[in-house]
Coordinates of all heavy atoms in Angstrom, one line a residue:
M873 N 54.8 -17.8 1.4 CA 54.0 -18.5 0.2 C 52.9 -17.5 -0.2 O 52.2 -17.0 0.7 CB 53.4 -19.8 0.7 CG 52.6 -20.4 -0.3 SD 52.0 -22.1 0.1 CE 50.5 -21.7 1.0
F874 N 52.8 -17.3 -1.5 CA 51.7 -16.5 -2.0 C 50.5 -17.4 -2.3 O 50.6 -18.5 -2.9 CB 52.1 -15.8 -3.3 CG 52.6 -14.5 -3.1 CD1 54.1 -14.3 -3.0 CD2 51.9 -13.4 -2.9 CE1 54.6 -13.1 -2.8 CE2 52.4 -12.1 -2.7 CZ 53.7 -12.0 -2.7
V875 N 49.3 -16.9 -2.0 CA 48.1 -17.5 -2.5 C 47.5 -16.5 -3.4 O 47.3 -15.4 -3.1 CB 47.1 -17.8 -1.3 CG1 45.8 -18.4 -1.8 CG2 47.7 -18.9 -0.4
W876 N 47.2 -16.9 -4.6 CA 46.6 -16.0 -5.7 C 45.1 -16.2 -5.9 O 44.6 -17.3 -5.9 CB 47.3 -16.2 -7.0 CG 48.8 -15.8 -6.9 CD1 49.8 -16.7 -6.6 CD2 49.4 -14.5 -6.9 NE1 51.0 -16.0 -6.6 CE2 50.7 -14.7 -6.8 CE3 48.8 -13.3 -7.2 CZ2 51.6 -13.5 -6.8 CZ3 49.7 -12.2 -7.2 CH2 51.0 -12.3 -7.0
Q877 N 44.4 -15.1 -5.9 CA 43.0 -15.0 -6.2 C 42.8 -14.1 -7.3 O 43.6 -13.3 -7.7 CB 42.3 -14.4 -4.9 CG 42.6 -15.1 -3.6 CD 42.0 -16.5 -3.5 OE1 41.1 -16.8 -4.1 NE2 42.6 -17.2 -2.6
N878 N 41.6 -14.2 -7.9 CA 41.2 -13.3 -8.9 C 39.9 -12.6 -8.6 O 39.2 -12.0 -9.5 CB 41.1 -13.9 -10.3 CG 40.1 -15.1 -10.3 OD1 39.4 -15.3 -9.3 ND2 40.0 -15.8 -11.4
D879 N 39.5 -12.5 -7.3 CA 38.2 -12.0 -6.9 C 38.4 -11.3 -5.6 O 38.9 -11.9 -4.6 CB 37.2 -13.1 -6.9 CG 35.8 -12.6 -6.5 OD1 35.6 -11.4 -6.2 OD2 34.9 -13.5 -6.6
W880 N 38.0 -10.0 -5.5 CA 38.1 -9.3 -4.3 C 37.4 -9.9 -3.1 O 37.8 -9.7 -1.9 CB 37.5 -7.9 -4.4 CG 38.3 -7.0 -5.4 CD1 37.9 -6.5 -6.5 CD2 39.6 -6.4 -5.2 NE1 38.8 -5.7 -7.1 CE2 39.9 -5.6 -6.3 CE3 40.5 -6.5 -4.2 CZ2 41.1 -5.0 -6.5 CZ3 41.7 -5.8 -4.3 CH2 42.0 -5.0 -5.4
S881 N 36.3 -10.6 -3.4 CA 35.6 -11.3 -2.3 C 36.4 -12.3 -1.5 O 36.0 -12.6 -0.3 CB 34.3 -12.0 -2.8 OG 34.6 -13.1 -3.6
Q882 N 37.5 -12.7 -2.0 CA 38.4 -13.6 -1.3 C 39.4 -12.9 -0.3 O 40.1 -13.6 0.4 CB 39.2 -14.4 -2.3 CG 38.4 -15.2 -3.3 CD 37.5 -16.2 -2.6 OE1 37.9 -16.9 -1.8 NE2 36.2 -16.2 -2.9
I883 N 39.3 -11.6 -0.3 CA 40.2 -10.8 0.6 C 39.4 -10.3 1.7 O 38.4 -9.6 1.5 CB 40.8 -9.6 -0.2 CG1 41.4 -10.0 -1.6 CG2 41.8 -8.8 0.7 CD1 42.6 -10.9 -1.5
D884 N 39.8 -10.5 3.0 CA 39.1 -10.1 4.1 C 39.4 -8.6 4.3 O 40.5 -8.1 4.5 CB 39.7 -10.9 5.3 CG 39.0 -10.4 6.7 OD1 38.5 -9.3 6.8 OD2 39.1 -11.3 7.6
E885 N 38.3 -7.8 4.2 CA 38.5 -6.3 4.3 C 39.0 -5.8 5.6 O 39.7 -4.9 5.6 CB 37.2 -5.7 3.9 CG 37.3 -4.2 3.7 CD 36.1 -3.5 3.0 OE1 35.6 -4.1 2.1 OE2 35.9 -2.4 3.3
Q886 N 38.6 -6.4 6.7 CA 39.0 -6.0 8.0 C 40.6 -6.2 8.1 O 41.3 -5.4 8.6 CB 38.3 -6.7 9.2 CG 38.8 -6.3 10.5 CD 38.0 -7.0 11.6 OE1 37.0 -7.6 11.4 NE2 38.5 -6.8 12.8
W887 N 41.0 -7.4 7.7 CA 42.5 -7.6 7.6 C 43.2 -6.6 6.8 O 44.2 -6.1 7.2 CB 42.7 -9.1 7.2 CG 44.2 -9.3 6.8 CD1 45.2 -9.5 7.7 CD2 44.8 -9.3 5.5 NE1 46.4 -9.7 7.1 CE2 46.1 -9.6 5.7 CE3 44.3 -9.2 4.2 CZ2 47.0 -9.6 4.7 CZ3 45.1 -9.2 3.2 CH2 46.5 -9.5 3.4
W888 N 42.7 -6.3 5.6 CA 43.2 -5.3 4.7 C 43.3 -4.0 5.4 O 44.4 -3.3 5.3 CB 42.3 -5.3 3.5 CG 42.8 -4.5 2.3 CD1 43.8 -3.5 2.3 CD2 42.3 -4.5 1.0 NE1 44.0 -3.0 1.1 CE2 43.0 -3.6 0.2 CE3 41.3 -5.2 0.4 CZ2 42.7 -3.3 -1.1 CZ3 41.0 -5.0 -1.0 CH2 41.8 -4.1 -1.7
Q889 N 42.3 -3.5 6.0 CA 42.3 -2.2 6.7 C 43.3 -2.2 7.8 O 44.1 -1.2 8.0 CB 40.9 -1.9 7.3 CG 39.9 -1.6 6.3 CD 40.0 -0.2 5.7 OE1 41.0 0.5 5.9 NE2 38.9 0.2 5.0
E890 N 43.5 -3.3 8.6 CA 44.4 -3.4 9.7 C 45.8 -3.3 9.1 O 46.7 -2.7 9.7 CB 44.2 -4.6 10.5 CG 42.9 -4.6 11.3 CD 42.6 -5.9 12.0 OE1 43.3 -6.9 11.8 OE2 41.5 -6.0 12.6
L891 N 46.1 -4.0 8.0 CA 47.4 -4.0 7.4 C 47.7 -2.6 6.9 O 48.8 -2.2 7.0 CB 47.4 -5.1 6.2 CG 48.7 -5.3 5.5 CD1 49.8 -5.8 6.5 CD2 48.5 -6.3 4.4
L892 N 46.7 -1.9 6.3 CA 47.0 -0.6 5.8 C 47.3 0.4 7.0 O 48.2 1.2 6.8 CB 45.7 -0.1 5.1 CG 45.7 1.4 4.6 CD1 46.7 1.6 3.5 CD2 44.3 1.7 4.1
L893 N 46.7 0.2 8.1 CA 46.9 1.1 9.2 C 48.4 0.9 9.8 O 48.8 1.7 10.5 CB 45.9 0.9 10.3 CG 44.5 1.5 9.9 CD1 43.5 1.2 10.9 CD2 44.6 3.0 9.6
Q894 N 48.9 -0.3 9.5 CA 50.3 -0.5 10.0 C 51.4 0.1 9.2 O 52.5 0.2 9.6 CB 50.6 -2.0 10.0 CG 49.8 -2.8 10.9 CD 50.0 -4.3 10.8 OE1 51.1 -4.7 10.5 NE2 49.0 -5.2 11.0
Q895 N 51.0 0.7 8.0 CA 52.0 1.3 7.1 C 52.6 2.6 7.7 O 51.9 3.3 8.3 CB 51.4 1.5 5.7 CG 50.8 0.4 5.1 CD 51.7 -0.9 5.0 OE1 52.7 -0.8 4.3 NE2 51.4 -2.0 5.7
N896 N 53.9 2.8 7.4 CA 54.4 4.1 7.8 C 53.7 5.3 7.2 O 53.6 6.4 7.7 CB 55.9 4.1 7.4 CG 56.7 3.2 8.3 OD1 56.4 3.0 9.4 ND2 57.8 2.6 7.7
R897 N 53.3 5.1 5.9 CA 52.5 6.1 5.1 C 51.2 5.6 4.6 O 51.2 5.2 3.4 CB 53.5 6.7 4.1 CG 54.6 7.5 4.6 CD 55.5 8.0 3.4 NE 54.8 8.4 2.2 CZ 55.3 8.3 1.0 NH1 56.5 8.0 0.8 NH2 54.6 8.7 0.0
P898 N 50.2 5.3 5.4 CA 49.0 4.8 4.8 C 48.5 5.7 3.7 O 48.6 6.9 3.8 CB 48.0 4.8 6.0 CG 48.8 4.9 7.3 CD 50.1 5.7 6.8
S899 N 47.9 5.1 2.7 CA 47.5 5.9 1.5 C 46.1 5.6 1.2 O 45.7 4.4 1.1 CB 48.4 5.6 0.4 OG 47.9 6.2 -0.8
L900 N 45.3 6.6 0.8 CA 44.0 6.5 0.3 C 44.0 5.5 -0.9 O 43.1 4.7 -1.1 CB 43.4 7.8 -0.1 CG 42.2 7.8 -1.0 CD1 41.0 7.4 -0.2 CD2 41.9 9.2 -1.6
F901 N 45.0 5.5 -1.7 CA 45.1 4.7 -2.9 C 45.3 3.3 -2.6 O 45.2 2.4 -3.6 CB 46.1 5.3 -3.8 CG 45.9 6.7 -4.2 CD1 46.7 7.8 -3.7 CD2 44.8 7.0 -5.0 CE1 46.4 9.1 -4.1 CE2 44.5 8.4 -5.3 CZ 45.3 9.4 -4.9
L902 N 45.6 2.9 -1.4 CA 45.7 1.5 -1.0 C 44.6 0.9 -0.2 O 44.6 -0.2 0.2 CB 47.0 1.3 -0.3 CG 48.3 1.7 -1.0 CD1 49.5 1.6 -0.1 CD2 48.5 0.8 -2.3
T903 N 43.5 1.7 -0.1 CA 42.3 1.3 0.7 C 41.5 0.3 -0.2 O 41.5 0.4 -1.4 CB 41.4 2.5 1.1 OG1 40.9 3.1 -0.1 CG2 42.2 3.5 2.0
P904 N 40.8 -0.6 0.5 CA 39.9 -1.4 -0.2 C 38.9 -0.7 -1.0 O 38.6 -1.1 -2.2 CB 39.2 -2.2 0.9 CG 40.0 -2.1 2.1 CD 40.8 -0.9 2.0
Q905 N 38.4 0.4 -0.6 CA 37.4 1.2 -1.3 C 38.0 1.7 -2.6 O 37.3 1.6 -3.7 CB 36.8 2.4 -0.4 CG 36.1 1.9 0.8 CD 37.0 1.6 2.0 OE1 38.3 1.7 1.9 NE2 36.4 1.1 3.1
F906 N 39.1 2.3 -2.6 CA 39.7 2.9 -3.8 C 40.1 1.8 -4.7 O 39.8 1.8 -6.0 CB 41.0 3.8 -3.5 CG 41.6 4.2 -4.7 CD1 41.1 5.4 -5.4 CD2 42.6 3.6 -5.4 CE1 41.6 5.9 -6.6 CE2 43.2 4.0 -6.5 CZ 42.7 5.1 -7.1
Q907 N 40.8 0.8 -4.3 CA 41.3 -0.3 -5.2 C 40.2 -1.0 -5.9 O 40.2 -1.3 -7.0 CB 42.2 -1.2 -4.4 CG 43.4 -0.6 -3.9 CD 44.7 -1.1 -4.5 OE1 44.9 -2.3 -4.5 NE2 45.6 -0.3 -4.8
R908 N 39.1 -1.4 -5.0 CA 38.0 -2.1 -5.6 C 37.2 -1.2 -6.7 O 36.8 -1.7 -7.7 CB 37.0 -2.6 -4.5 CG 37.6 -3.7 -3.7 CD 36.7 -4.1 -2.7 NE 37.2 -5.4 -2.0 CZ 36.9 -5.8 -0.9 NH1 36.1 -5.0 -0.1 NH2 37.4 -6.9 -0.4
T909 N 37.1 0.0 -6.3 CA 36.3 0.9 -7.2 C 37.2 1.2 -8.5 O 36.6 1.0 -9.6 CB 36.1 2.3 -6.6 OG1 35.3 2.1 -5.4 CG2 35.4 3.2 -7.4
W910 N 38.4 1.4 -8.4 CA 39.2 1.6 -9.5 C 39.2 0.3 -10.4 O 39.1 0.4 -11.7 CB 40.7 1.9 -9.1 CG 41.6 2.3 -10.3 CD1 41.8 3.6 -10.8 CD2 42.3 1.4 -11.2 NE1 42.6 3.5 -11.9 CE2 42.9 2.2 -12.1 CE3 42.4 0.0 -11.2 CZ2 43.7 1.6 -13.2 CZ3 43.2 -0.5 -12.2 CH2 43.9 0.2 -13.1
A911 N 39.4 -0.8 -9.8 CA 39.5 -2.1 -10.6 C 38.1 -2.4 -11.3 O 38.1 -2.9 -12.4 CB 39.8 -3.2 -9.6
S912 N 37.0 -2.0 -10.6 CA 35.7 -2.3 -11.2 C 35.5 -1.5 -12.5 O 34.8 -1.9 -13.4 CB 34.6 -2.1 -10.3 OG 34.4 -0.7 -10.0
R913 N 36.2 -0.3 -12.6 CA 36.0 0.5 -13.7 C 37.1 0.3 -14.8 O 36.9 0.4 -16.0 CB 36.1 2.0 -13.3 CG 36.1 3.0 -14.3 CD 34.7 3.1 -15.0 NE 34.7 4.1 -16.0 CZ 34.9 3.9 -17.3 NH1 35.3 2.8 -17.8 NH2 34.9 5.0 -18.1
F914 N 38.3 0.0 -14.4 CA 39.5 0.0 -15.3 C 40.1 -1.4 -15.5 O 40.9 -1.6 -16.5 CB 40.5 1.0 -14.9 CG 40.0 2.4 -14.9 CD1 39.8 3.0 -13.7 CD2 39.7 3.1 -16.0 CE1 39.3 4.3 -13.7 CE2 39.3 4.4 -16.0 CZ 39.0 5.0 -14.8
A915 N 40.0 -2.3 -14.6 CA 40.7 -3.6 -14.7 C 39.8 -4.7 -15.4 O 38.7 -4.9 -15.0 CB 41.1 -4.1 -13.4
S916 N 40.4 -5.4 -16.4 CA 39.6 -6.5 -17.0 C 40.0 -7.8 -16.4 O 39.2 -8.7 -16.4 CB 40.0 -6.5 -18.5 OG 41.3 -6.7 -18.7
E917 N 41.2 -7.9 -15.8 CA 41.6 -9.2 -15.2 C 42.4 -8.8 -14.0 O 43.3 -7.9 -14.0 CB 42.5 -10.0 -16.3 CG 42.8 -11.4 -15.8 CD 43.6 -12.1 -16.9 OE1 43.7 -11.6 -18.0 OE2 44.1 -13.2 -16.6
L918 N 42.2 -9.5 -12.9 CA 42.9 -9.3 -11.6 C 43.8 -10.5 -11.2 O 43.4 -11.6 -11.4 CB 41.9 -9.0 -10.5 CG 41.1 -7.7 -10.6 CD1 40.1 -7.7 -9.5 CD2 42.1 -6.5 -10.5
K919 N 44.8 -10.2 -10.5 CA 45.6 -11.2 -9.7 C 45.9 -10.6 -8.4 O 46.5 -9.5 -8.2 CB 47.0 -11.5 -10.4 CG 46.9 -12.2 -11.7 CD 47.1 -13.7 -11.4 CE 47.2 -14.4 -12.8 NZ 46.7 -15.7 -12.7
L920 N 45.3 -11.2 -7.4 CA 45.5 -10.7 -6.0 C 46.3 -11.7 -5.2 O 45.9 -12.8 -5.1 CB 44.1 -10.5 -5.4 CG 43.1 -9.7 -6.2 CD1 41.7 -9.8 -5.7 CD2 43.5 -8.3 -6.3
G921 N 47.4 -11.2 -4.7 CA 48.3 -12.1 -4.0 C 48.3 -11.8 -2.5 O 48.5 -10.6 -2.1
I922 N 48.1 -12.9 -1.7 CA 48.2 -12.8 -0.3 C 49.4 -13.6 0.2 O 49.5 -14.8 -0.2 CB 46.9 -13.3 0.4 CG1 45.7 -12.5 0.0 CG2 47.0 -13.3 2.0 CD1 44.4 -13.1 0.4
W923 N 50.3 -12.9 0.8 CA 51.5 -13.6 1.3 C 51.5 -13.9 2.7 O 51.2 -13.1 3.6 CB 52.7 -12.7 0.9 CG 54.0 -13.4 1.4 CD1 54.7 -14.4 0.8 CD2 54.8 -13.0 2.5 NE1 55.9 -14.7 1.5 CE2 56.0 -13.9 2.5 CE3 54.7 -12.1 3.5 CZ2 56.9 -13.8 3.5 CZ3 55.6 -12.0 4.5 CH2 56.7 -12.9 4.5
S924 N 51.9 -15.2 3.1 CA 52.0 -15.6 4.4 C 53.4 -16.2 4.6 O 53.8 -17.1 3.9 CB 50.9 -16.6 4.8 OG 49.6 -16.1 4.6
P925 N 54.1 -15.8 5.7 CA 55.3 -16.6 6.0 C 54.9 -18.0 6.5 O 53.8 -18.2 6.8 CB 55.9 -15.8 7.2 CG 55.2 -14.5 7.3 CD 53.9 -14.7 6.6
E926 N 55.8 -18.9 6.4 CA 55.6 -20.3 6.7 C 54.9 -20.4 8.1 O 55.4 -19.9 9.1 CB 56.9 -21.1 6.7 CG 56.7 -22.6 6.7 CD 58.0 -23.3 6.5 OE1 58.7 -23.0 5.5 OE2 58.2 -24.2 7.2
Q927 N 53.7 -21.0 8.1 CA 53.0 -21.3 9.3 C 52.6 -20.1 10.1 O 52.5 -20.1 11.3 CB 53.6 -22.3 10.1 CG 53.9 -23.7 9.4 CD 54.6 -24.6 10.2 OE1 55.2 -24.3 11.2 NE2 54.6 -25.9 9.8
Q928 N 52.3 -18.9 9.4 CA 51.9 -17.7 10.1 C 50.7 -17.2 9.3 O 50.4 -17.5 8.2 CB 53.0 -16.7 10.1 CG 54.2 -17.1 11.0 CD 55.2 -15.9 11.0 OE1 54.9 -14.7 11.0 NE2 56.5 -16.2 11.2
S929 N 50.0 -16.2 9.9 CA 48.9 -15.5 9.3 C 49.4 -14.6 8.2 O 50.6 -14.3 8.1 CB 48.1 -14.7 10.4 OG 49.0 -13.7 10.9
P930 N 48.5 -14.2 7.3 CA 48.9 -13.4 6.1 C 49.5 -12.1 6.6 O 49.1 -11.5 7.6 CB 47.6 -13.1 5.4 CG 46.7 -14.3 5.8 CD 47.1 -14.6 7.2
Q931 N 50.6 -11.7 5.9 CA 51.3 -10.4 6.2 C 51.5 -9.4 5.1 O 52.1 -8.4 5.3 CB 52.7 -10.8 6.8 CG 52.7 -11.7 8.0 CD 52.1 -11.0 9.2 OE1 52.3 -9.8 9.4 NE2 51.4 -11.7 10.0
A932 N 50.9 -9.8 3.9 CA 51.1 -8.9 2.8 C 50.0 -9.1 1.7 O 49.4 -10.2 1.6 CB 52.5 -9.1 2.1
L933 N 49.8 -8.0 1.0 CA 48.7 -8.1 -0.1 C 49.3 -7.3 -1.3 O 49.8 -6.2 -1.1 CB 47.5 -7.4 0.4 CG 46.4 -7.2 -0.7 CD1 45.8 -8.5 -1.2 CD2 45.2 -6.3 -0.1
I934 N 49.2 -7.9 -2.4 CA 49.5 -7.2 -3.7 C 48.4 -7.4 -4.7 O 47.8 -8.5 -4.8 CB 50.9 -7.7 -4.2 CG1 51.3 -6.9 -5.4 CG2 50.8 -9.2 -4.6 CD1 52.8 -7.1 -5.8
A935 N 48.1 -6.4 -5.4 CA 47.0 -6.4 -6.4 C 47.5 -6.0 -7.7 O 47.9 -4.9 -7.9 CB 45.8 -5.6 -5.9
F936 N 47.4 -6.9 -8.7 CA 47.8 -6.6 -10.1 C 46.6 -6.6 -11.0 O 45.6 -7.3 -10.8 CB 48.7 -7.6 -10.6 CG 50.1 -7.7 -10.1 CD1 50.5 -8.7 -9.3 CD2 51.0 -6.7 -10.3 CE1 51.7 -8.8 -8.7 CE2 52.3 -6.7 -9.7 CZ 52.6 -7.8 -8.9
H937 N 46.6 -5.8 -12.1 CA 45.6 -5.9 -13.1 C 46.4 -6.1 -14.5 O 47.5 -5.7 -14.7 CB 44.7 -4.7 -13.1 CG 45.3 -3.4 -13.7 ND1 45.1 -3.0 -15.0 CD2 46.2 -2.6 -13.2 CE1 45.8 -2.0 -15.2 NE2 46.5 -1.6 -14.2
R938 N 45.7 -6.7 -15.4 CA 46.2 -6.9 -16.8 C 46.1 -5.7 -17.6 O 45.0 -5.0 -17.7 CB 45.5 -8.0 -17.4 CG 46.1 -8.5 -18.7 CD 47.2 -9.5 -18.4 NE 47.6 -10.1 -19.7 CZ 48.8 -10.5 -19.8 NH1 49.7 -10.4 -18.8 NH2 49.2 -11.0 -20.9
N939 N 47.2 -5.2 -18.2 CA 47.2 -4.0 -19.0 C 47.9 -4.4 -20.3 O 49.2 -4.5 -20.3 CB 47.9 -2.9 -18.4 CG 47.8 -1.6 -19.2 OD1 47.0 -1.5 -20.1 ND2 48.6 -0.6 -18.8
R940 N 47.2 -4.7 -21.3 CA 47.6 -5.2 -22.6 C 48.5 -6.4 -22.4 O 48.0 -7.5 -22.1 CB 48.4 -4.1 -23.4 CG 47.5 -3.0 -23.7 CD 48.2 -1.9 -24.6 NE 47.3 -0.7 -24.8 CZ 47.4 0.3 -24.1 NH1 48.2 0.5 -23.1 NH2 46.5 1.4 -24.4
D941 N 49.9 -6.3 -22.6 CA 50.7 -7.5 -22.5 C 51.5 -7.6 -21.2 O 52.4 -8.3 -21.1 CB 51.7 -7.4 -23.7 CG 51.0 -7.5 -25.0 OD1 50.0 -8.2 -25.1 OD2 51.6 -6.9 -26.0
S942 N 51.1 -6.8 -20.2 CA 51.8 -6.9 -18.9 C 50.9 -6.8 -17.7 O 49.7 -6.5 -17.9 CB 52.8 -5.7 -18.8 OG 52.2 -4.5 -18.8
W943 N 51.4 -7.0 -16.5 CA 50.7 -6.9 -15.3 C 51.2 -5.6 -14.6 O 52.4 -5.4 -14.5 CB 50.9 -8.1 -14.4 CG 50.2 -9.3 -15.0 CD1 50.8 -10.2 -15.8 CD2 48.8 -9.7 -14.8 NE1 49.9 -11.2 -16.1 CE2 48.7 -10.9 -15.5 CE3 47.8 -9.2 -14.1 CZ2 47.4 -11.5 -15.5 CZ3 46.6 -9.8 -14.1 CH2 46.4 -11.0 -14.8
E944 N 50.2 -4.8 -14.1 CA 50.6 -3.5 -13.3 C 49.9 -3.5 -12.0 O 48.8 -4.2 -11.8 CB 50.1 -2.3 -14.1 CG 50.8 -2.2 -15.5 CD 50.4 -0.9 -16.3 OE1 49.4 -0.3 -15.9 OE2 51.0 -0.7 -17.3
L945 N 50.4 -2.7 -11.1 CA 49.7 -2.6 -9.8 C 48.4 -1.9 -10.0 O 48.3 -1.0 -10.8 CB 50.6 -1.8 -8.8 CG 51.8 -2.4 -8.3 CD1 52.7 -1.4 -7.6 CD2 51.5 -3.6 -7.4
V946 N 47.4 -2.3 -9.2 CA 46.1 -1.8 -9.3 C 46.1 -0.3 -8.9 O 46.8 0.0 -7.9 CB 45.1 -2.5 -8.5 CG1 43.7 -1.8 -8.3 CG2 44.8 -3.9 -9.1
G947 N 45.5 0.6 -9.5 CA 45.4 2.0 -9.1 C 45.6 3.0 -10.2 O 45.1 4.1 -10.1
G948 N 46.3 2.6 -11.2 CA 46.5 3.5 -12.3 C 47.4 4.6 -12.1 O 47.2 5.5 -11.3
Q949 N 48.5 4.6 -12.8 CA 49.5 5.7 -12.7 C 49.0 7.1 -12.9 O 49.5 8.1 -12.4 CB 50.7 5.4 -13.6 CG 51.4 4.2 -13.3 CD 52.5 3.9 -14.2 OE1 52.7 4.5 -15.2 NE2 53.3 2.8 -14.0
D950 N 48.0 7.2 -13.8 CA 47.4 8.5 -14.1 C 46.4 9.0 -13.0 O 46.1 10.2 -13.1 CB 46.7 8.4 -15.4 CG 47.6 8.1 -16.6 OD1 48.8 8.4 -16.5 OD2 47.1 7.5 -17.6
V951 N 46.0 8.2 -12.1 CA 45.0 8.5 -11.1 C 45.7 8.6 -9.7 O 45.5 9.5 -9.0 CB 43.9 7.5 -11.1 CG1 42.9 7.9 -10.0 CG2 43.2 7.5 -12.4
A952 N 46.4 7.6 -9.4 CA 46.9 7.4 -8.0 C 48.2 8.1 -7.8 O 49.1 8.0 -8.7 CB 47.0 5.9 -7.6
D953 N 48.4 8.7 -6.7 CA 49.7 9.3 -6.3 C 50.7 8.3 -5.9 O 51.9 8.5 -6.0 CB 49.6 10.4 -5.2 CG 48.8 11.6 -5.7 OD1 48.8 11.8 -6.9 OD2 48.3 12.3 -4.8
R954 N 50.2 7.2 -5.4 CA 51.1 6.2 -4.9 C 50.5 4.8 -5.1 O 49.4 4.5 -4.8 CB 51.2 6.4 -3.3 CG 52.2 5.5 -2.7 CD 52.6 6.0 -1.3 NE 53.4 5.0 -0.7 CZ 53.1 4.5 0.5 NH1 52.1 4.9 1.2 NH2 53.9 3.6 1.0
L955 N 51.3 3.9 -5.8 CA 50.9 2.6 -6.0 C 52.0 1.7 -5.3 O 53.1 2.0 -5.2 CB 51.1 2.2 -7.5 CG 50.1 3.0 -8.5 CD1 50.4 2.6 -9.9 CD2 48.7 2.8 -8.1
D956 N 51.5 0.7 -4.5 CA 52.4 0.0 -3.7 C 51.9 -1.3 -3.3 O 50.8 -1.7 -3.7 CB 52.7 0.8 -2.4 CG 54.0 0.5 -1.8 OD1 54.7 -0.4 -2.2 OD2 54.5 1.4 -1.0
V957 N 52.6 -2.1 -2.5 CA 52.2 -3.4 -1.9 C 52.1 -3.1 -0.5 O 52.8 -2.4 0.1 CB 53.4 -4.4 -2.2 CG1 53.1 -5.7 -1.5 CG2 53.7 -4.6 -3.6
L958 N 51.1 -3.7 0.1 CA 50.9 -3.7 1.6 C 51.6 -4.8 2.3 O 51.4 -6.0 2.0 CB 49.4 -3.7 2.0 CG 48.6 -2.5 1.5 CD1 47.1 -2.8 1.8 CD2 49.0 -1.3 2.3
V959 N 52.5 -4.5 3.2 CA 53.3 -5.4 3.9 C 53.5 -5.1 5.3 O 53.7 -3.9 5.6 CB 54.8 -5.6 3.2 CG1 55.6 -6.6 4.0 CG2 54.7 -5.9 1.8
A960 N 53.2 -6.1 6.2 CA 53.4 -5.8 7.6 C 54.8 -5.2 7.8 O 55.8 -5.8 7.3 CB 53.1 -7.1 8.4
P961 N 55.0 -4.2 8.6 CA 56.3 -3.6 8.8 C 57.5 -4.6 9.1 O 58.6 -4.5 8.7 CB 56.1 -2.6 10.0 CG 54.7 -2.3 9.9 CD 54.0 -3.6 9.4
E962 N 57.2 -5.6 9.9 CA 58.3 -6.5 10.3 C 58.7 -7.5 9.2 O 59.7 -8.2 9.3 CB 57.9 -7.3 11.5 CG 56.7 -8.2 11.4 CD 55.4 -7.6 11.7 OE1 55.3 -6.4 11.7 OE2 54.4 -8.4 12.0
F963 N 58.0 -7.4 8.0 CA 58.4 -8.2 6.9 C 58.8 -7.5 5.6 O 59.0 -7.9 4.5 CB 57.2 -9.2 6.6 CG 56.9 -10.2 7.6 CD1 55.9 -10.0 8.5 CD2 57.7 -11.3 7.7 CE1 55.6 -10.9 9.5 CE2 57.5 -12.3 8.7 CZ 56.5 -12.1 9.6
E964 N 58.9 -6.1 5.8 CA 59.3 -5.3 4.7 C 60.7 -5.6 4.1 O 61.6 -6.0 4.8 CB 59.3 -3.8 5.1 CG 57.8 -3.3 5.3 CD 57.8 -1.8 5.6 OE1 58.8 -1.3 6.1 OE2 56.8 -1.2 5.2

């Protein structure tokens, strides 16, 4: 089940860092520092999704921003080498 937020303060940064470190290829562009900084400068509207399997702790994070008539991953294709979703390896 996804729980959607529109404010970074609703995302636990320690959990986010731990999820990032579980990735096969952790990326600077998926860190809280980069995503929050990029969004504060370029995003006008956010949708932050935290996914939890039924009756389990959160296992995934996805961050979108509004770009004209569509939603795109936070990070900007012109800036970031890699845009992605953070997912615990056992749920990929």
Side-chain angles (χ1 to χ4, degrees):
M873 172 175 87
F874 271 97
V875 174
W876 294 96
Q877 307 289 340
N878 59 4
D879 184 350
W880 293 112
S881 67
Q882 302 299 313
I883 311 294
D884 180 336
E885 190 166 323
Q886 182 177 348
W887 167 76
W888 186 346
Q889 291 281 16
E890 290 169 3
L891 188 59
L892 178 62
L893 292 174
Q894 292 177 36
Q895 305 305 297
N896 290 328
R897 293 178 35 205
S899 169
L900 164 72
F901 301 109
L902 299 175
T903 64
Q905 297 82 3
F906 177 83
Q907 296 242 318
R908 286 180 173 154
T909 301
W910 187 93
S912 72
R913 176 66 177 98
F914 299 107
S916 60
E917 187 177 354
L918 293 172
K919 289 264 187 212
L920 310 169
I922 300 172
W923 178 75
S924 301
E926 193 169 313
Q927 300 177 345
Q928 292 187 34
S929 61
Q931 299 294 325
L933 171 66
I934 188 166
F936 292 111
H937 75 99
R938 187 84 171 152
N939 186 12
R940 295 183 186 96
D941 297 328
S942 64
W943 291 92
E944 296 179 355
L945 291 169
V946 166
Q949 298 173 355
D950 297 335
V951 177
D953 291 339
R954 185 163 172 234
L955 303 176
D956 209 344
V957 176
L958 290 174
V959 180
E962 62 269 23
F963 292 100
E964 288 182 332

